[in-house]
Amino acid sequence: MKARNLAVLAGIGGASIAALALLRGRARPGRPRSGRLRLERGMAAVRLAARGGARYATSAPRLFASAGEHRQALRNDLALQTAEDVAATLGTMKGVLMKLGQMASYVDDGLSPAARRTLSRLQDSVPPMSPELAAQVIAEELGGPPERVFATWDPDPIAAASIGQVHRAITHDGRAVAVKVQYPGIAETIAADLGNVALLRRMLKITAPMQDVDALLAELRERVTEELDYRREAKNQEMFARYYAGHPTIHVPGIVPELSTRRVVTSELADGARFAELAGWSQAEKDLAAETIYRFVFRSLYEAHAFNGDPHPGNYLFHGGGRVTFLDFGLVKYFTEEELKPLVAMVRYLCVEGDPEAFRRAMEEAGFLMPGAPLPTDMIVDHMAVFYDTVRERGPRTMTGSYATAVTRRFFDFRSPLAAYVQIPRSYVILQRINLGLFALLGELSATADWRGIAEEIWPFVQGPPTTPMGQAEAGWRAARSGAGHPGRSV
Amino acid sequence: MNAGPYADAAGLVERSAAAYAAAVPVAPEDDGYFGPASVTWRVSADLSAPVAGLRALLMQALHPLAMAGVDQHSDWRTDPVGRLAATSAYEVTVTFGDRASARRVAERVRAIHEHVRGVDTVTGLPYEAGDPALLLWVHAALVDSALAASALLGTPLAEADADAYVNEMAVAAELLGTPREIIPDSTAALARYIEGVRPDLRLTPAAAESMGYLLDPPGLDEDIAELWQDIRDAAVAALPGWAVRLYGYAEPAPLTEQRRTEIRQALGVLDAVFLGEPGVLEARQRIAVRMRTAARS
């Protein structure tokens, strides 16, 4: 227990911060290491803005400030043409650093603006594949040139993915699809670079005590390795798509399994407004969008026992009336009944039963709190309450950026008297993205809702009646699909 | 004359990056003395470039008169980082700049060289920076180091390309006043030349002090300092055996394939740091676009 576990709690976050410190070379000798995460006010907003999804168009115009008409030419000029180009651009640790940076941006709030700039530059430095190179990957994976595999193929990518790019196409049976194509050789390159344990250790040790480095490395390798195999992502997305089929506001594009492989994933094409565009929408629209995202996160968790750990704003498309398309299922964690039980119990005892001692016991059972910690229960409740702040009472509440920041601060508060006795077991580490991703996102929207009412609809031990029009519509969907069971466990 | 202690090396990456970004031209009038299809541009972009640079300094410093000129006249002790950044900006302008810019910076250096003259305290010999013999040594050390570093860690050049590189680079020496006829134009000629200079080379106290500083620069950010260890090891491993012996370093074991991979990875991280500095990505893209365009035509 104690300090050692807090590093595991910080998980990839701690690791990434170290890498980023290294990226900027800003760590000063003699700087105290204890405050391993630097929190800055207003960071969530900046972070969200910075994470609008890397698109080539955003990096190209900087080149020649006055030459907008050259952009297309420039894209072609810089395109990666061979697997060797891919290795030169993303090899020698750069791909690994990019992944580290991406993970850091979800997991913690402590990126300095300089570190964020470095990472975004690193992402900008990766040009798209040339049409020929993308076609070569399609041919290797799907057995023919894209023009034959698909009825129509757009050789110009529409978006960048972290280790690939997205093309539009129409299948032979007439479906418009998005085809994500992985850079050739990237999986091998990143796997090789992840093998340089010495360099990774050097990058990690700055913030994590040595004994934790191996655990962090294991976590990092596992996550990255998972993301490199698109089949896993396809499987996850298919599960979510099946689960939410027919849902009034939640839409997950279906997978086309026969056109999906390790390096290609084909899904139904979706279009809609990007998160950044939402800023210009009415507050009522923002509130509805926020309600949908909130329902999606907690329905998925409590009912499908699945959590999409990639809540960044680039992964949503908005359609108005609260309808949201959810994209990118590269990082999904499935929970067993056993894993979920203590979490449910904690919510129940704190928010519904009002039984602090039972809450404390549930925390101990979950492994969050060391049994027999010499701390009064009310202190523990005080410390933990902030995480449940939005669902303790009925009535409308507005999510704010400062709430998201407060949650994050509490999460990473290593100086609190509890710090020596609390930890986050590894299987729950990913859930911190609820705090650091979801709340930041909803705060960014200044979303107002009766979150407690919505939560009661979803909490398995309450299963309350609908509290909003969306809840009504959802109840109809649930009635229609009753008996479908838990798709999360059927996969 | 300077004899004070060296200033620390803080800001090495930031200042080198700023110098680099500023030196890569935005709207060149012509393709300069090399051009986007040249081997020189390819070599300059090689991941091994920092190793090449450090090895070149190690070689150059072994010439007592070249070392004396630097030690007695330049701001090397008071602002070593500025000195290195200015040198790399000079190389970038000569390589990627148009002809007028290359000539302009070369003229400036020649003007400075006019005042760099004196007597080396170790050998007792007089020197002047404009002496073609000294200019040629500095040039040859740089060219030889780029070849050695890319062969060891980067993308090795085909034999014909290596010859072409040596030949292309001759113009850089010429710009500073070295007569064309004494400049090696092939790898064989370069090797012969270096062999011929060897009897003049020795480790002076100034060289020992300077290179000791460079191999372990104080004041580097901690993380950069750790990467620097790999670059230093690589630069020493890329030196000829006789140079290692002159320095009195322990003879390095040949780099294993795994060690080379590790050094490349460290170079990649350093490159990412460099890329994160303002203007560097744009400068790289300006070069890449020109090279791509040249490759297609």
PDB file of all heavy atoms in Angstrom, chain A residues 359-392:
ATOM      1  N   PHE A 359     -20.323   2.241   3.164  1.00  0.00           N
ATOM      2  CA  PHE A 359     -19.559   2.805   2.062  1.00  0.00           C
ATOM      3  C   PHE A 359     -18.073   2.491   2.261  1.00  0.00           C
ATOM      4  O   PHE A 359     -17.370   2.054   1.352  1.00  0.00           O
ATOM      5  CB  PHE A 359     -19.779   4.319   2.005  1.00  0.00           C
ATOM      6  CG  PHE A 359     -18.902   5.039   1.004  1.00  0.00           C
ATOM      7  CD1 PHE A 359     -19.157   4.956  -0.365  1.00  0.00           C
ATOM      8  CD2 PHE A 359     -17.813   5.804   1.429  1.00  0.00           C
ATOM      9  CE1 PHE A 359     -18.340   5.614  -1.290  1.00  0.00           C
ATOM     10  CE2 PHE A 359     -17.003   6.457   0.516  1.00  0.00           C
ATOM     11  CZ  PHE A 359     -17.266   6.366  -0.837  1.00  0.00           C
ATOM     12  N   ARG A 360     -17.623   2.705   3.484  1.00  0.00           N
ATOM     13  CA  ARG A 360     -16.221   2.443   3.790  1.00  0.00           C
ATOM     14  C   ARG A 360     -15.888   0.969   3.573  1.00  0.00           C
ATOM     15  O   ARG A 360     -14.848   0.637   2.985  1.00  0.00           O
ATOM     16  CB  ARG A 360     -15.956   2.842   5.241  1.00  0.00           C
ATOM     17  CG  ARG A 360     -14.518   2.572   5.643  1.00  0.00           C
ATOM     18  CD  ARG A 360     -14.243   2.891   7.108  1.00  0.00           C
ATOM     19  NE  ARG A 360     -12.820   2.720   7.368  1.00  0.00           N
ATOM     20  CZ  ARG A 360     -12.113   3.465   8.190  1.00  0.00           C
ATOM     21  NH1 ARG A 360     -12.678   4.442   8.853  1.00  0.00           N
ATOM     22  NH2 ARG A 360     -10.827   3.228   8.361  1.00  0.00           N
ATOM     23  N   ARG A 361     -16.766   0.090   4.003  1.00  0.00           N
ATOM     24  CA  ARG A 361     -16.515  -1.347   3.806  1.00  0.00           C
ATOM     25  C   ARG A 361     -16.456  -1.696   2.319  1.00  0.00           C
ATOM     26  O   ARG A 361     -15.610  -2.474   1.890  1.00  0.00           O
ATOM     27  CB  ARG A 361     -17.608  -2.178   4.498  1.00  0.00           C
ATOM     28  CG  ARG A 361     -17.385  -2.391   5.987  1.00  0.00           C
ATOM     29  CD  ARG A 361     -18.247  -3.528   6.522  1.00  0.00           C
ATOM     30  NE  ARG A 361     -19.682  -3.334   6.255  1.00  0.00           N
ATOM     31  CZ  ARG A 361     -20.483  -2.569   7.011  1.00  0.00           C
ATOM     32  NH1 ARG A 361     -20.012  -1.931   8.071  1.00  0.00           N
ATOM     33  NH2 ARG A 361     -21.751  -2.449   6.701  1.00  0.00           N
ATOM     34  N   ALA A 362     -17.347  -1.062   1.540  1.00  0.00           N
ATOM     35  CA  ALA A 362     -17.347  -1.333   0.096  1.00  0.00           C
ATOM     36  C   ALA A 362     -16.034  -0.858  -0.530  1.00  0.00           C
ATOM     37  O   ALA A 362     -15.472  -1.516  -1.409  1.00  0.00           O
ATOM     38  CB  ALA A 362     -18.537  -0.649  -0.578  1.00  0.00           C
ATOM     39  N   MET A 363     -15.548   0.293  -0.058  1.00  0.00           N
ATOM     40  CA  MET A 363     -14.256   0.793  -0.555  1.00  0.00           C
ATOM     41  C   MET A 363     -13.141  -0.192  -0.244  1.00  0.00           C
ATOM     42  O   MET A 363     -12.233  -0.412  -1.055  1.00  0.00           O
ATOM     43  CB  MET A 363     -13.914   2.134   0.114  1.00  0.00           C
ATOM     44  CG  MET A 363     -14.297   3.347  -0.692  1.00  0.00           C
ATOM     45  SD  MET A 363     -13.670   4.875   0.094  1.00  0.00           S
ATOM     46  CE  MET A 363     -12.018   5.010  -0.587  1.00  0.00           C
ATOM     47  N   GLU A 364     -13.218  -0.765   0.965  1.00  0.00           N
ATOM     48  CA  GLU A 364     -12.186  -1.731   1.355  1.00  0.00           C
ATOM     49  C   GLU A 364     -12.275  -2.995   0.500  1.00  0.00           C
ATOM     50  O   GLU A 364     -11.273  -3.531   0.050  1.00  0.00           O
ATOM     51  CB  GLU A 364     -12.302  -2.059   2.853  1.00  0.00           C
ATOM     52  CG  GLU A 364     -11.916  -0.890   3.739  1.00  0.00           C
ATOM     53  CD  GLU A 364     -12.222  -1.128   5.223  1.00  0.00           C
ATOM     54  OE1 GLU A 364     -12.796  -2.206   5.554  1.00  0.00           O
ATOM     55  OE2 GLU A 364     -11.900  -0.253   6.018  1.00  0.00           O
ATOM     56  N   GLU A 365     -13.518  -3.428   0.275  1.00  0.00           N
ATOM     57  CA  GLU A 365     -13.703  -4.636  -0.536  1.00  0.00           C
ATOM     58  C   GLU A 365     -13.197  -4.437  -1.955  1.00  0.00           C
ATOM     59  O   GLU A 365     -12.626  -5.340  -2.568  1.00  0.00           O
ATOM     60  CB  GLU A 365     -15.182  -5.035  -0.578  1.00  0.00           C
ATOM     61  CG  GLU A 365     -15.603  -5.891   0.615  1.00  0.00           C
ATOM     62  CD  GLU A 365     -17.121  -5.917   0.763  1.00  0.00           C
ATOM     63  OE1 GLU A 365     -17.806  -5.884  -0.292  1.00  0.00           O
ATOM     64  OE2 GLU A 365     -17.605  -5.956   1.905  1.00  0.00           O
ATOM     65  N   ALA A 366     -13.413  -3.242  -2.464  1.00  0.00           N
ATOM     66  CA  ALA A 366     -12.971  -2.963  -3.827  1.00  0.00           C
ATOM     67  C   ALA A 366     -11.458  -2.852  -3.906  1.00  0.00           C
ATOM     68  O   ALA A 366     -10.886  -2.900  -4.988  1.00  0.00           O
ATOM     69  CB  ALA A 366     -13.607  -1.668  -4.328  1.00  0.00           C
ATOM     70  N   GLY A 367     -10.827  -2.702  -2.750  1.00  0.00           N
ATOM     71  CA  GLY A 367      -9.375  -2.529  -2.758  1.00  0.00           C
ATOM     72  C   GLY A 367      -8.958  -1.078  -2.855  1.00  0.00           C
ATOM     73  O   GLY A 367      -7.785  -0.776  -3.025  1.00  0.00           O
ATOM     74  N   PHE A 368      -9.917  -0.161  -2.738  1.00  0.00           N
ATOM     75  CA  PHE A 368      -9.575   1.256  -2.806  1.00  0.00           C
ATOM     76  C   PHE A 368      -8.948   1.746  -1.502  1.00  0.00           C
ATOM     77  O   PHE A 368      -8.174   2.687  -1.497  1.00  0.00           O
ATOM     78  CB  PHE A 368     -10.827   2.112  -3.062  1.00  0.00           C
ATOM     79  CG  PHE A 368     -11.327   2.068  -4.473  1.00  0.00           C
ATOM     80  CD1 PHE A 368     -12.532   1.454  -4.780  1.00  0.00           C
ATOM     81  CD2 PHE A 368     -10.597   2.639  -5.495  1.00  0.00           C
ATOM     82  CE1 PHE A 368     -12.998   1.411  -6.079  1.00  0.00           C
ATOM     83  CE2 PHE A 368     -11.055   2.597  -6.805  1.00  0.00           C
ATOM     84  CZ  PHE A 368     -12.259   1.978  -7.105  1.00  0.00           C
ATOM     85  N   LEU A 369      -9.359   1.121  -0.416  1.00  0.00           N
ATOM     86  CA  LEU A 369      -8.941   1.608   0.898  1.00  0.00           C
ATOM     87  C   LEU A 369      -8.355   0.450   1.694  1.00  0.00           C
ATOM     88  O   LEU A 369      -8.919  -0.638   1.740  1.00  0.00           O
ATOM     89  CB  LEU A 369     -10.158   2.196   1.640  1.00  0.00           C
ATOM     90  CG  LEU A 369      -9.893   2.762   3.024  1.00  0.00           C
ATOM     91  CD1 LEU A 369      -9.040   4.017   2.947  1.00  0.00           C
ATOM     92  CD2 LEU A 369     -11.219   3.070   3.723  1.00  0.00           C
ATOM     93  N   MET A 370      -7.240   0.734   2.312  1.00  0.00           N
ATOM     94  CA  MET A 370      -6.589  -0.275   3.123  1.00  0.00           C
ATOM     95  C   MET A 370      -7.475  -0.590   4.334  1.00  0.00           C
ATOM     96  O   MET A 370      -7.879   0.322   5.055  1.00  0.00           O
ATOM     97  CB  MET A 370      -5.254   0.302   3.597  1.00  0.00           C
ATOM     98  CG  MET A 370      -4.331  -0.651   4.243  1.00  0.00           C
ATOM     99  SD  MET A 370      -2.745   0.229   4.432  1.00  0.00           S
ATOM    100  CE  MET A 370      -2.259  -0.418   6.002  1.00  0.00           C
ATOM    101  N   PRO A 371      -7.791  -1.870   4.549  1.00  0.00           N
ATOM    102  CA  PRO A 371      -8.631  -2.208   5.698  1.00  0.00           C
ATOM    103  C   PRO A 371      -7.935  -1.784   6.986  1.00  0.00           C
ATOM    104  O   PRO A 371      -6.709  -1.927   7.108  1.00  0.00           O
ATOM    105  CB  PRO A 371      -8.765  -3.735   5.623  1.00  0.00           C
ATOM    106  CG  PRO A 371      -8.377  -4.097   4.217  1.00  0.00           C
ATOM    107  CD  PRO A 371      -7.412  -3.058   3.766  1.00  0.00           C
ATOM    108  N   GLY A 372      -8.700  -1.257   7.911  1.00  0.00           N
ATOM    109  CA  GLY A 372      -8.147  -0.883   9.202  1.00  0.00           C
ATOM    110  C   GLY A 372      -7.323   0.391   9.164  1.00  0.00           C
ATOM    111  O   GLY A 372      -6.534   0.649  10.072  1.00  0.00           O
ATOM    112  N   ALA A 373      -7.457   1.194   8.117  1.00  0.00           N
ATOM    113  CA  ALA A 373      -6.723   2.456   8.062  1.00  0.00           C
ATOM    114  C   ALA A 373      -7.135   3.330   9.244  1.00  0.00           C
ATOM    115  O   ALA A 373      -8.331   3.448   9.532  1.00  0.00           O
ATOM    116  CB  ALA A 373      -7.020   3.181   6.749  1.00  0.00           C
ATOM    117  N   PRO A 374      -6.157   3.919   9.930  1.00  0.00           N
ATOM    118  CA  PRO A 374      -6.491   4.710  11.135  1.00  0.00           C
ATOM    119  C   PRO A 374      -7.059   6.078  10.765  1.00  0.00           C
ATOM    120  O   PRO A 374      -6.464   7.100  11.071  1.00  0.00           O
ATOM    121  CB  PRO A 374      -5.144   4.828  11.842  1.00  0.00           C
ATOM    122  CG  PRO A 374      -4.132   4.784  10.731  1.00  0.00           C
ATOM    123  CD  PRO A 374      -4.716   3.923   9.654  1.00  0.00           C
ATOM    124  N   LEU A 375      -8.195   6.063  10.137  1.00  0.00           N
ATOM    125  CA  LEU A 375      -8.810   7.313   9.702  1.00  0.00           C
ATOM    126  C   LEU A 375     -10.285   7.275  10.044  1.00  0.00           C
ATOM    127  O   LEU A 375     -10.934   6.246   9.869  1.00  0.00           O
ATOM    128  CB  LEU A 375      -8.691   7.473   8.179  1.00  0.00           C
ATOM    129  CG  LEU A 375      -7.294   7.544   7.565  1.00  0.00           C
ATOM    130  CD1 LEU A 375      -7.388   7.364   6.055  1.00  0.00           C
ATOM    131  CD2 LEU A 375      -6.623   8.862   7.906  1.00  0.00           C
ATOM    132  N   PRO A 376     -10.809   8.401  10.519  1.00  0.00           N
ATOM    133  CA  PRO A 376     -12.245   8.420  10.799  1.00  0.00           C
ATOM    134  C   PRO A 376     -13.051   8.307   9.494  1.00  0.00           C
ATOM    135  O   PRO A 376     -12.642   8.833   8.459  1.00  0.00           O
ATOM    136  CB  PRO A 376     -12.476   9.782  11.454  1.00  0.00           C
ATOM    137  CG  PRO A 376     -11.257  10.588  11.185  1.00  0.00           C
ATOM    138  CD  PRO A 376     -10.147   9.662  10.848  1.00  0.00           C
ATOM    139  N   THR A 377     -14.169   7.613   9.573  1.00  0.00           N
ATOM    140  CA  THR A 377     -14.979   7.382   8.376  1.00  0.00           C
ATOM    141  C   THR A 377     -15.464   8.688   7.757  1.00  0.00           C
ATOM    142  O   THR A 377     -15.508   8.820   6.532  1.00  0.00           O
ATOM    143  CB  THR A 377     -16.174   6.479   8.739  1.00  0.00           C
ATOM    144  OG1 THR A 377     -15.654   5.226   9.180  1.00  0.00           O
ATOM    145  CG2 THR A 377     -17.068   6.242   7.521  1.00  0.00           C
ATOM    146  N   ASP A 378     -15.789   9.677   8.603  1.00  0.00           N
ATOM    147  CA  ASP A 378     -16.312  10.906   8.005  1.00  0.00           C
ATOM    148  C   ASP A 378     -15.243  11.627   7.178  1.00  0.00           C
ATOM    149  O   ASP A 378     -15.542  12.311   6.200  1.00  0.00           O
ATOM    150  CB  ASP A 378     -16.944  11.836   9.057  1.00  0.00           C
ATOM    151  CG  ASP A 378     -15.982  12.177  10.181  1.00  0.00           C
ATOM    152  OD1 ASP A 378     -14.861  11.617  10.183  1.00  0.00           O
ATOM    153  OD2 ASP A 378     -16.345  12.995  11.046  1.00  0.00           O
ATOM    154  N   MET A 379     -13.989  11.438   7.549  1.00  0.00           N
ATOM    155  CA  MET A 379     -12.920  12.027   6.757  1.00  0.00           C
ATOM    156  C   MET A 379     -12.848  11.362   5.381  1.00  0.00           C
ATOM    157  O   MET A 379     -12.667  12.021   4.347  1.00  0.00           O
ATOM    158  CB  MET A 379     -11.588  11.860   7.485  1.00  0.00           C
ATOM    159  CG  MET A 379     -10.414  12.494   6.752  1.00  0.00           C
ATOM    160  SD  MET A 379      -8.851  11.853   7.380  1.00  0.00           S
ATOM    161  CE  MET A 379      -8.302  13.234   8.356  1.00  0.00           C
ATOM    162  N   ILE A 380     -13.016  10.060   5.375  1.00  0.00           N
ATOM    163  CA  ILE A 380     -12.996   9.324   4.110  1.00  0.00           C
ATOM    164  C   ILE A 380     -14.161   9.766   3.231  1.00  0.00           C
ATOM    165  O   ILE A 380     -14.004  10.027   2.038  1.00  0.00           O
ATOM    166  CB  ILE A 380     -13.050   7.810   4.386  1.00  0.00           C
ATOM    167  CG1 ILE A 380     -11.762   7.380   5.084  1.00  0.00           C
ATOM    168  CG2 ILE A 380     -13.267   7.025   3.094  1.00  0.00           C
ATOM    169  CD1 ILE A 380     -11.824   6.018   5.720  1.00  0.00           C
ATOM    170  N   VAL A 381     -15.319   9.870   3.854  1.00  0.00           N
ATOM    171  CA  VAL A 381     -16.497  10.285   3.095  1.00  0.00           C
ATOM    172  C   VAL A 381     -16.294  11.693   2.536  1.00  0.00           C
ATOM    173  O   VAL A 381     -16.564  11.961   1.366  1.00  0.00           O
ATOM    174  CB  VAL A 381     -17.771  10.223   3.972  1.00  0.00           C
ATOM    175  CG1 VAL A 381     -18.943  10.909   3.283  1.00  0.00           C
ATOM    176  CG2 VAL A 381     -18.098   8.771   4.285  1.00  0.00           C
ATOM    177  N   ASP A 382     -15.762  12.576   3.369  1.00  0.00           N
ATOM    178  CA  ASP A 382     -15.492  13.942   2.913  1.00  0.00           C
ATOM    179  C   ASP A 382     -14.586  13.941   1.685  1.00  0.00           C
ATOM    180  O   ASP A 382     -14.803  14.672   0.733  1.00  0.00           O
ATOM    181  CB  ASP A 382     -14.781  14.743   4.018  1.00  0.00           C
ATOM    182  CG  ASP A 382     -15.779  15.385   4.957  1.00  0.00           C
ATOM    183  OD1 ASP A 382     -16.994  15.239   4.697  1.00  0.00           O
ATOM    184  OD2 ASP A 382     -15.347  16.010   5.942  1.00  0.00           O
ATOM    185  N   HIS A 383     -13.576  13.114   1.769  1.00  0.00           N
ATOM    186  CA  HIS A 383     -12.590  13.085   0.697  1.00  0.00           C
ATOM    187  C   HIS A 383     -13.198  12.556  -0.597  1.00  0.00           C
ATOM    188  O   HIS A 383     -12.930  13.069  -1.677  1.00  0.00           O
ATOM    189  CB  HIS A 383     -11.411  12.199   1.120  1.00  0.00           C
ATOM    190  CG  HIS A 383     -10.330  12.107   0.086  1.00  0.00           C
ATOM    191  ND1 HIS A 383      -9.313  13.024  -0.009  1.00  0.00           N
ATOM    192  CD2 HIS A 383     -10.114  11.211  -0.903  1.00  0.00           C
ATOM    193  CE1 HIS A 383      -8.521  12.699  -1.012  1.00  0.00           C
ATOM    194  NE2 HIS A 383      -8.978  11.607  -1.576  1.00  0.00           N
ATOM    195  N   MET A 384     -14.018  11.535  -0.463  1.00  0.00           N
ATOM    196  CA  MET A 384     -14.532  10.853  -1.649  1.00  0.00           C
ATOM    197  C   MET A 384     -15.757  11.544  -2.248  1.00  0.00           C
ATOM    198  O   MET A 384     -16.109  11.323  -3.406  1.00  0.00           O
ATOM    199  CB  MET A 384     -14.910   9.401  -1.303  1.00  0.00           C
ATOM    200  CG  MET A 384     -13.733   8.530  -0.897  1.00  0.00           C
ATOM    201  SD  MET A 384     -12.549   8.307  -2.250  1.00  0.00           S
ATOM    202  CE  MET A 384     -13.530   7.331  -3.395  1.00  0.00           C
ATOM    203  N   ALA A 385     -16.431  12.354  -1.413  1.00  0.00           N
ATOM    204  CA  ALA A 385     -17.733  12.881  -1.822  1.00  0.00           C
ATOM    205  C   ALA A 385     -17.668  13.666  -3.129  1.00  0.00           C
ATOM    206  O   ALA A 385     -18.623  13.654  -3.911  1.00  0.00           O
ATOM    207  CB  ALA A 385     -18.314  13.753  -0.712  1.00  0.00           C
ATOM    208  N   VAL A 386     -16.545  14.322  -3.369  1.00  0.00           N
ATOM    209  CA  VAL A 386     -16.470  15.173  -4.558  1.00  0.00           C
ATOM    210  C   VAL A 386     -16.724  14.366  -5.834  1.00  0.00           C
ATOM    211  O   VAL A 386     -17.322  14.852  -6.783  1.00  0.00           O
ATOM    212  CB  VAL A 386     -15.118  15.925  -4.613  1.00  0.00           C
ATOM    213  CG1 VAL A 386     -13.964  14.966  -4.808  1.00  0.00           C
ATOM    214  CG2 VAL A 386     -15.124  16.967  -5.723  1.00  0.00           C
ATOM    215  N   PHE A 387     -16.328  13.104  -5.809  1.00  0.00           N
ATOM    216  CA  PHE A 387     -16.507  12.279  -7.012  1.00  0.00           C
ATOM    217  C   PHE A 387     -17.989  12.004  -7.285  1.00  0.00           C
ATOM    218  O   PHE A 387     -18.375  11.665  -8.390  1.00  0.00           O
ATOM    219  CB  PHE A 387     -15.754  10.950  -6.882  1.00  0.00           C
ATOM    220  CG  PHE A 387     -14.273  11.144  -6.704  1.00  0.00           C
ATOM    221  CD1 PHE A 387     -13.640  10.814  -5.510  1.00  0.00           C
ATOM    222  CD2 PHE A 387     -13.507  11.664  -7.738  1.00  0.00           C
ATOM    223  CE1 PHE A 387     -12.280  11.004  -5.357  1.00  0.00           C
ATOM    224  CE2 PHE A 387     -12.149  11.859  -7.592  1.00  0.00           C
ATOM    225  CZ  PHE A 387     -11.530  11.526  -6.397  1.00  0.00           C
ATOM    226  N   TYR A 388     -18.786  12.092  -6.237  1.00  0.00           N
ATOM    227  CA  TYR A 388     -20.208  11.762  -6.359  1.00  0.00           C
ATOM    228  C   TYR A 388     -21.072  13.019  -6.306  1.00  0.00           C
ATOM    229  O   TYR A 388     -22.291  12.943  -6.216  1.00  0.00           O
ATOM    230  CB  TYR A 388     -20.626  10.809  -5.230  1.00  0.00           C
ATOM    231  CG  TYR A 388     -19.877   9.499  -5.248  1.00  0.00           C
ATOM    232  CD1 TYR A 388     -18.706   9.326  -4.527  1.00  0.00           C
ATOM    233  CD2 TYR A 388     -20.358   8.428  -6.009  1.00  0.00           C
ATOM    234  CE1 TYR A 388     -18.019   8.121  -4.561  1.00  0.00           C
ATOM    235  CE2 TYR A 388     -19.667   7.217  -6.041  1.00  0.00           C
ATOM    236  CZ  TYR A 388     -18.501   7.082  -5.313  1.00  0.00           C
ATOM    237  OH  TYR A 388     -17.831   5.887  -5.348  1.00  0.00           O
ATOM    238  N   ASP A 389     -20.388  14.146  -6.358  1.00  0.00           N
ATOM    239  CA  ASP A 389     -21.055  15.406  -6.102  1.00  0.00           C
ATOM    240  C   ASP A 389     -22.295  15.625  -6.964  1.00  0.00           C
ATOM    241  O   ASP A 389     -23.305  16.150  -6.505  1.00  0.00           O
ATOM    242  CB  ASP A 389     -20.051  16.545  -6.339  1.00  0.00           C
ATOM    243  CG  ASP A 389     -20.433  17.791  -5.573  1.00  0.00           C
ATOM    244  OD1 ASP A 389     -20.988  17.646  -4.468  1.00  0.00           O
ATOM    245  OD2 ASP A 389     -20.193  18.891  -6.100  1.00  0.00           O
ATOM    246  N   THR A 390     -22.228  15.216  -8.229  1.00  0.00           N
ATOM    247  CA  THR A 390     -23.338  15.519  -9.143  1.00  0.00           C
ATOM    248  C   THR A 390     -24.517  14.574  -8.978  1.00  0.00           C
ATOM    249  O   THR A 390     -25.566  14.796  -9.576  1.00  0.00           O
ATOM    250  CB  THR A 390     -22.861  15.453 -10.607  1.00  0.00           C
ATOM    251  OG1 THR A 390     -22.245  14.189 -10.810  1.00  0.00           O
ATOM    252  CG2 THR A 390     -21.874  16.559 -10.905  1.00  0.00           C
ATOM    253  N   VAL A 391     -24.338  13.498  -8.215  1.00  0.00           N
ATOM    254  CA  VAL A 391     -25.444  12.524  -8.120  1.00  0.00           C
ATOM    255  C   VAL A 391     -25.917  12.304  -6.685  1.00  0.00           C
ATOM    256  O   VAL A 391     -26.628  11.354  -6.399  1.00  0.00           O
ATOM    257  CB  VAL A 391     -25.048  11.154  -8.729  1.00  0.00           C
ATOM    258  CG1 VAL A 391     -24.911  11.280 -10.231  1.00  0.00           C
ATOM    259  CG2 VAL A 391     -23.789  10.604  -8.104  1.00  0.00           C
ATOM    260  N   ARG A 392     -25.548  13.198  -5.776  1.00  0.00           N
ATOM    261  CA  ARG A 392     -25.962  12.967  -4.399  1.00  0.00           C
ATOM    262  C   ARG A 392     -27.391  13.438  -4.154  1.00  0.00           C
ATOM    263  O   ARG A 392     -28.070  12.950  -3.266  1.00  0.00           O
ATOM    264  CB  ARG A 392     -24.991  13.634  -3.431  1.00  0.00           C
ATOM    265  CG  ARG A 392     -23.618  12.958  -3.497  1.00  0.00           C
ATOM    266  CD  ARG A 392     -22.771  13.262  -2.315  1.00  0.00           C
ATOM    267  NE  ARG A 392     -23.230  12.570  -1.132  1.00  0.00           N
ATOM    268  CZ  ARG A 392     -22.630  12.668   0.042  1.00  0.00           C
ATOM    269  NH1 ARG A 392     -21.569  13.420   0.180  1.00  0.00           N
ATOM    270  NH2 ARG A 392     -23.090  12.006   1.088  1.00  0.00           N
TER     271      ARG A 392
END
